[in-house]
Amino acid sequence: ANTHSAAWPSASTSSNPTLIANGAVTYNRSGANPVATIMPRAGAYGSLSMTLRVTDEGGLWAETTFNVTIANE
């Protein structure tokens, strides 16, 4: 059963939208461990920070910010 239905990311923000566009996150909520996939723009590389925010049905929210490095391959 999905135990995460009450709170789910409602916003994603990139500190460098030329590398990863704001909102460029997809979510898979199946199973006990939901997964967020962040897709950089084609040919992009460098470092940035991302912020994901979750909001519950009552309007309470929490957010986390983390660093992302995209390797030049």
Side-chain angles (χ1 to χ4, degrees), residues 5-58:
S5 61
W8 196 244
S10 57
S12 61
T13 306
S14 168
S15 68
N16 188 342
T18 61
L19 299 179
I20 297 176
N22 291 324
V25 180
T26 58
Y27 305 99
N28 181 347
R29 295 180 5 162
S30 64
N33 297 306
V35 175
T37 302
I38 302 168
M39 294 299 299
R41 294 183 187 270
Y45 62 92
S47 296
L48 63 136
S49 62
M50 288 289 302
T51 300
L52 298 181
R53 177 181 282 206
V54 296
T55 305
D56 71 11
E57 295 166 344

